[in-house]
Amino acid sequence: MKNNQPLIVIVGPTAVGKTATSISLAKQFNGEVISGDSMQVYQSMDVATAKVSKEEMEGIPHHLIDIKKPDESFSVADFQSLAKKSISSISEKGKMPFIVGGTGLYINSVIYDYNFSKATEDRLFRDRLNKFADEHGNDALHEQLKKTDPLSYKNLHPNNRRRVIRALEVHHVTGKPLSEQLTNEESPLYDTTIIGLTMDRKMLYDRINERVDQMIEQGLIHEVERLFEEGYGDCQSMQAIGYKEILEYVRGTVSLDAAISQLKQNSRRFAKRQLTWFRNKMDIEWFDMTTNREKKLKEIHTFLKESYY
C-alpha cells in the first residue's frame, strides 16, 4: 500500500554525474542521500566504485556506504531492508530522502517493496551446485537457469555464483522462478519521483574512459593489490567491474595496458546495459546533461519543487 512519504530517486549510467547532481539537489531540498549502488557498501573498495569522498559530500549525510567487509555477502533483500529503515529515519528528521545510484534492481526493490522469497534453504542441493560449478565452471551452472528461470538467467552474471545458486535453489524448493517472486510492481510504496540523467553516447563513453584513467592515477592498482594481499581475491565483490580486470593484472595473467583497455570496454558496456534497464523497468523523468549542466540542474530543481511543494 502506497504511503505519502516523499522519495526522490536519481539514476543513470556510470560517469553521467549522479553524485554531484544529487549533492546539489540534497542541499537545496534539505535532503540526505542513500547510496543505491551495490558496491559502495564495501569497506576499502573506494576507487573503482567511485565512492563519494567526505569532501564531495559537502556536509550532506550519506547512508549505506562502507557497511560491509569485502568478503561479506550483501543481497537485494539486505539493501531493501536497510534502505527502508534509512528512508524512515531521514523522514523522521523532517528531511528529504534521496536514493542515488546505478543498481536498478536494488532501487526498484525499495520503490515497489518487492516480496522476496522466504523459501527454506536446501543446503545439500546448494552443495551439489557448488561442486558442479567447481568441476564444470560458472558458465555451465549459469546455463541451468535458462530453462527454469530465463529472466534471472538474463539478469545474473555467470560469475555471480552465489546468486545463480540461490535462484536455482528457490526454484528447486518452491517450483517457481525467483524472478516471479521478486516482482510486485503494481504501485510504488512511496510518493516517488525518479530523475534520470543521460547524455550524448560519445560524450558519456569519453567520460567513462577518462574516469578509468583517473582511477589509475588515484591508486586503483594499489587498492586491488592490497585487497588481494589481504585475502579477498576470490570474494564475490572482487568480480565487480574495476576489480576483476585489474585483479588479472595483479595475478600476472594480462598486461596492465590490456587490463585497463578491458576495464574501459566493460564499463562502457555496463553503462549501455544500465540505460536499457532503466528505460525498460522504471518510470523516469529524463534530463540530458550533455550541455549546460547548471541550466539542467535548475530545470530538475523546478521539476522537483513542482512535484512536492
PDB file of all heavy atoms in Angstrom, residues 108-125:
ATOM      1  N   ASN A 108      14.668  -0.469  -7.420  1.00  0.00           N
ATOM      2  CA  ASN A 108      13.278  -0.877  -7.654  1.00  0.00           C
ATOM      3  C   ASN A 108      12.720  -1.723  -6.520  1.00  0.00           C
ATOM      4  O   ASN A 108      11.525  -1.693  -6.231  1.00  0.00           O
ATOM      5  CB  ASN A 108      13.169  -1.640  -8.969  1.00  0.00           C
ATOM      6  CG  ASN A 108      12.480  -0.828 -10.055  1.00  0.00           C
ATOM      7  OD1 ASN A 108      12.236   0.365  -9.879  1.00  0.00           O
ATOM      8  ND2 ASN A 108      12.164  -1.453 -11.167  1.00  0.00           N
ATOM      9  N   SER A 109      13.583  -2.501  -5.876  1.00  0.00           N
ATOM     10  CA  SER A 109      13.122  -3.344  -4.773  1.00  0.00           C
ATOM     11  C   SER A 109      12.561  -2.508  -3.629  1.00  0.00           C
ATOM     12  O   SER A 109      11.677  -2.951  -2.892  1.00  0.00           O
ATOM     13  CB  SER A 109      14.258  -4.237  -4.258  1.00  0.00           C
ATOM     14  OG  SER A 109      15.179  -3.517  -3.453  1.00  0.00           O
ATOM     15  N   VAL A 110      13.074  -1.294  -3.484  1.00  0.00           N
ATOM     16  CA  VAL A 110      12.597  -0.383  -2.441  1.00  0.00           C
ATOM     17  C   VAL A 110      11.352   0.361  -2.917  1.00  0.00           C
ATOM     18  O   VAL A 110      10.347   0.433  -2.208  1.00  0.00           O
ATOM     19  CB  VAL A 110      13.699   0.623  -2.052  1.00  0.00           C
ATOM     20  CG1 VAL A 110      13.176   1.625  -1.022  1.00  0.00           C
ATOM     21  CG2 VAL A 110      14.918  -0.107  -1.511  1.00  0.00           C
ATOM     22  N   ILE A 111      11.420   0.892  -4.121  1.00  0.00           N
ATOM     23  CA  ILE A 111      10.296   1.672  -4.643  1.00  0.00           C
ATOM     24  C   ILE A 111       9.015   0.844  -4.657  1.00  0.00           C
ATOM     25  O   ILE A 111       7.944   1.312  -4.256  1.00  0.00           O
ATOM     26  CB  ILE A 111      10.605   2.165  -6.071  1.00  0.00           C
ATOM     27  CG1 ILE A 111      11.776   3.151  -6.065  1.00  0.00           C
ATOM     28  CG2 ILE A 111       9.363   2.826  -6.700  1.00  0.00           C
ATOM     29  CD1 ILE A 111      12.242   3.548  -7.457  1.00  0.00           C
ATOM     30  N   TYR A 112       9.117  -0.415  -5.100  1.00  0.00           N
ATOM     31  CA  TYR A 112       7.940  -1.262  -5.262  1.00  0.00           C
ATOM     32  C   TYR A 112       7.788  -2.310  -4.163  1.00  0.00           C
ATOM     33  O   TYR A 112       6.919  -3.174  -4.244  1.00  0.00           O
ATOM     34  CB  TYR A 112       7.968  -1.939  -6.634  1.00  0.00           C
ATOM     35  CG  TYR A 112       7.796  -0.962  -7.761  1.00  0.00           C
ATOM     36  CD1 TYR A 112       8.879  -0.581  -8.542  1.00  0.00           C
ATOM     37  CD2 TYR A 112       6.560  -0.386  -8.027  1.00  0.00           C
ATOM     38  CE1 TYR A 112       8.727   0.343  -9.578  1.00  0.00           C
ATOM     39  CE2 TYR A 112       6.397   0.530  -9.054  1.00  0.00           C
ATOM     40  CZ  TYR A 112       7.483   0.892  -9.823  1.00  0.00           C
ATOM     41  OH  TYR A 112       7.325   1.802 -10.833  1.00  0.00           O
ATOM     42  N   ASP A 113       8.647  -2.226  -3.137  1.00  0.00           N
ATOM     43  CA  ASP A 113       8.531  -3.122  -1.994  1.00  0.00           C
ATOM     44  C   ASP A 113       8.433  -4.581  -2.422  1.00  0.00           C
ATOM     45  O   ASP A 113       7.502  -5.314  -2.066  1.00  0.00           O
ATOM     46  CB  ASP A 113       7.306  -2.744  -1.146  1.00  0.00           C
ATOM     47  CG  ASP A 113       7.386  -3.325   0.264  1.00  0.00           C
ATOM     48  OD1 ASP A 113       8.516  -3.618   0.715  1.00  0.00           O
ATOM     49  OD2 ASP A 113       6.338  -3.483   0.908  1.00  0.00           O
ATOM     50  N   TYR A 114       9.428  -5.027  -3.198  1.00  0.00           N
ATOM     51  CA  TYR A 114       9.443  -6.409  -3.668  1.00  0.00           C
ATOM     52  C   TYR A 114       9.253  -7.393  -2.519  1.00  0.00           C
ATOM     53  O   TYR A 114       9.781  -7.206  -1.427  1.00  0.00           O
ATOM     54  CB  TYR A 114      10.792  -6.730  -4.332  1.00  0.00           C
ATOM     55  CG  TYR A 114      10.988  -6.195  -5.721  1.00  0.00           C
ATOM     56  CD1 TYR A 114      12.194  -6.395  -6.383  1.00  0.00           C
ATOM     57  CD2 TYR A 114       9.998  -5.482  -6.385  1.00  0.00           C
ATOM     58  CE1 TYR A 114      12.405  -5.908  -7.661  1.00  0.00           C
ATOM     59  CE2 TYR A 114      10.198  -4.986  -7.655  1.00  0.00           C
ATOM     60  CZ  TYR A 114      11.399  -5.204  -8.294  1.00  0.00           C
ATOM     61  OH  TYR A 114      11.609  -4.712  -9.551  1.00  0.00           O
ATOM     62  N   ASN A 115       8.509  -8.447  -2.802  1.00  0.00           N
ATOM     63  CA  ASN A 115       8.355  -9.537  -1.848  1.00  0.00           C
ATOM     64  C   ASN A 115       9.391 -10.600  -2.153  1.00  0.00           C
ATOM     65  O   ASN A 115       9.262 -11.341  -3.131  1.00  0.00           O
ATOM     66  CB  ASN A 115       6.942 -10.136  -1.946  1.00  0.00           C
ATOM     67  CG  ASN A 115       5.882  -9.161  -1.511  1.00  0.00           C
ATOM     68  OD1 ASN A 115       6.045  -8.473  -0.512  1.00  0.00           O
ATOM     69  ND2 ASN A 115       4.795  -9.078  -2.264  1.00  0.00           N
ATOM     70  N   PHE A 116      10.401 -10.685  -1.331  1.00  0.00           N
ATOM     71  CA  PHE A 116      11.460 -11.646  -1.584  1.00  0.00           C
ATOM     72  C   PHE A 116      11.079 -13.025  -1.073  1.00  0.00           C
ATOM     73  O   PHE A 116      10.352 -13.167  -0.090  1.00  0.00           O
ATOM     74  CB  PHE A 116      12.780 -11.188  -0.942  1.00  0.00           C
ATOM     75  CG  PHE A 116      13.346  -9.995  -1.622  1.00  0.00           C
ATOM     76  CD1 PHE A 116      13.127  -8.726  -1.120  1.00  0.00           C
ATOM     77  CD2 PHE A 116      14.065 -10.126  -2.789  1.00  0.00           C
ATOM     78  CE1 PHE A 116      13.631  -7.614  -1.760  1.00  0.00           C
ATOM     79  CE2 PHE A 116      14.576  -9.028  -3.441  1.00  0.00           C
ATOM     80  CZ  PHE A 116      14.361  -7.763  -2.928  1.00  0.00           C
ATOM     81  N   SER A 117      11.592 -14.009  -1.771  1.00  0.00           N
ATOM     82  CA  SER A 117      11.249 -15.386  -1.447  1.00  0.00           C
ATOM     83  C   SER A 117      11.639 -15.740  -0.023  1.00  0.00           C
ATOM     84  O   SER A 117      12.740 -15.452   0.430  1.00  0.00           O
ATOM     85  CB  SER A 117      11.957 -16.343  -2.401  1.00  0.00           C
ATOM     86  OG  SER A 117      11.761 -17.665  -1.981  1.00  0.00           O
ATOM     87  N   LYS A 118      10.709 -16.357   0.681  1.00  0.00           N
ATOM     88  CA  LYS A 118      11.002 -16.853   2.028  1.00  0.00           C
ATOM     89  C   LYS A 118      11.255 -18.364   1.983  1.00  0.00           C
ATOM     90  O   LYS A 118      11.104 -19.069   2.969  1.00  0.00           O
ATOM     91  CB  LYS A 118       9.810 -16.569   2.960  1.00  0.00           C
ATOM     92  CG  LYS A 118       9.516 -15.078   3.125  1.00  0.00           C
ATOM     93  CD  LYS A 118      10.676 -14.351   3.785  1.00  0.00           C
ATOM     94  CE  LYS A 118      10.296 -12.936   4.174  1.00  0.00           C
ATOM     95  NZ  LYS A 118      10.064 -12.043   3.041  1.00  0.00           N
ATOM     96  N   ALA A 119      11.630 -18.827   0.822  1.00  0.00           N
ATOM     97  CA  ALA A 119      11.850 -20.258   0.645  1.00  0.00           C
ATOM     98  C   ALA A 119      12.912 -20.770   1.607  1.00  0.00           C
ATOM     99  O   ALA A 119      13.931 -20.125   1.826  1.00  0.00           O
ATOM    100  CB  ALA A 119      12.287 -20.547  -0.790  1.00  0.00           C
ATOM    101  N   THR A 120      12.659 -21.919   2.188  1.00  0.00           N
ATOM    102  CA  THR A 120      13.651 -22.523   3.063  1.00  0.00           C
ATOM    103  C   THR A 120      14.850 -22.964   2.241  1.00  0.00           C
ATOM    104  O   THR A 120      14.760 -23.183   1.044  1.00  0.00           O
ATOM    105  CB  THR A 120      13.062 -23.746   3.802  1.00  0.00           C
ATOM    106  OG1 THR A 120      12.563 -24.659   2.819  1.00  0.00           O
ATOM    107  CG2 THR A 120      11.959 -23.316   4.735  1.00  0.00           C
ATOM    108  N   GLU A 121      15.963 -23.100   2.917  1.00  0.00           N
ATOM    109  CA  GLU A 121      17.191 -23.478   2.232  1.00  0.00           C
ATOM    110  C   GLU A 121      17.274 -24.995   2.072  1.00  0.00           C
ATOM    111  O   GLU A 121      16.724 -25.750   2.867  1.00  0.00           O
ATOM    112  CB  GLU A 121      18.400 -22.975   3.018  1.00  0.00           C
ATOM    113  CG  GLU A 121      18.446 -21.459   3.158  1.00  0.00           C
ATOM    114  CD  GLU A 121      19.631 -21.015   3.999  1.00  0.00           C
ATOM    115  OE1 GLU A 121      20.312 -21.877   4.578  1.00  0.00           O
ATOM    116  OE2 GLU A 121      19.875 -19.796   4.070  1.00  0.00           O
ATOM    117  N   ASP A 122      17.960 -25.413   1.032  1.00  0.00           N
ATOM    118  CA  ASP A 122      18.276 -26.823   0.839  1.00  0.00           C
ATOM    119  C   ASP A 122      19.796 -26.900   0.684  1.00  0.00           C
ATOM    120  O   ASP A 122      20.335 -26.763  -0.413  1.00  0.00           O
ATOM    121  CB  ASP A 122      17.572 -27.364  -0.405  1.00  0.00           C
ATOM    122  CG  ASP A 122      17.765 -28.877  -0.561  1.00  0.00           C
ATOM    123  OD1 ASP A 122      18.796 -29.381  -0.091  1.00  0.00           O
ATOM    124  OD2 ASP A 122      16.893 -29.524  -1.173  1.00  0.00           O
ATOM    125  N   ARG A 123      20.465 -27.077   1.807  1.00  0.00           N
ATOM    126  CA  ARG A 123      21.925 -26.999   1.803  1.00  0.00           C
ATOM    127  C   ARG A 123      22.560 -28.111   0.984  1.00  0.00           C
ATOM    128  O   ARG A 123      23.596 -27.900   0.339  1.00  0.00           O
ATOM    129  CB  ARG A 123      22.457 -27.018   3.239  1.00  0.00           C
ATOM    130  CG  ARG A 123      22.092 -25.767   4.018  1.00  0.00           C
ATOM    131  CD  ARG A 123      22.820 -25.689   5.351  1.00  0.00           C
ATOM    132  NE  ARG A 123      22.514 -24.439   6.028  1.00  0.00           N
ATOM    133  CZ  ARG A 123      23.144 -23.286   5.809  1.00  0.00           C
ATOM    134  NH1 ARG A 123      24.096 -23.237   4.891  1.00  0.00           N
ATOM    135  NH2 ARG A 123      22.817 -22.196   6.467  1.00  0.00           N
ATOM    136  N   LEU A 124      21.962 -29.287   0.974  1.00  0.00           N
ATOM    137  CA  LEU A 124      22.515 -30.376   0.172  1.00  0.00           C
ATOM    138  C   LEU A 124      22.450 -30.043  -1.311  1.00  0.00           C
ATOM    139  O   LEU A 124      23.405 -30.273  -2.065  1.00  0.00           O
ATOM    140  CB  LEU A 124      21.764 -31.687   0.461  1.00  0.00           C
ATOM    141  CG  LEU A 124      22.022 -32.326   1.826  1.00  0.00           C
ATOM    142  CD1 LEU A 124      21.130 -33.553   2.012  1.00  0.00           C
ATOM    143  CD2 LEU A 124      23.488 -32.725   1.954  1.00  0.00           C
ATOM    144  N   PHE A 125      21.318 -29.474  -1.722  1.00  0.00           N
ATOM    145  CA  PHE A 125      21.159 -29.063  -3.120  1.00  0.00           C
ATOM    146  C   PHE A 125      22.180 -27.986  -3.469  1.00  0.00           C
ATOM    147  O   PHE A 125      22.824 -28.023  -4.524  1.00  0.00           O
ATOM    148  CB  PHE A 125      19.736 -28.549  -3.342  1.00  0.00           C
ATOM    149  CG  PHE A 125      19.447 -28.098  -4.754  1.00  0.00           C
ATOM    150  CD1 PHE A 125      19.240 -29.025  -5.763  1.00  0.00           C
ATOM    151  CD2 PHE A 125      19.382 -26.752  -5.061  1.00  0.00           C
ATOM    152  CE1 PHE A 125      18.974 -28.610  -7.069  1.00  0.00           C
ATOM    153  CE2 PHE A 125      19.115 -26.330  -6.359  1.00  0.00           C
ATOM    154  CZ  PHE A 125      18.914 -27.260  -7.361  1.00  0.00           C
TER     155      PHE A 125
END
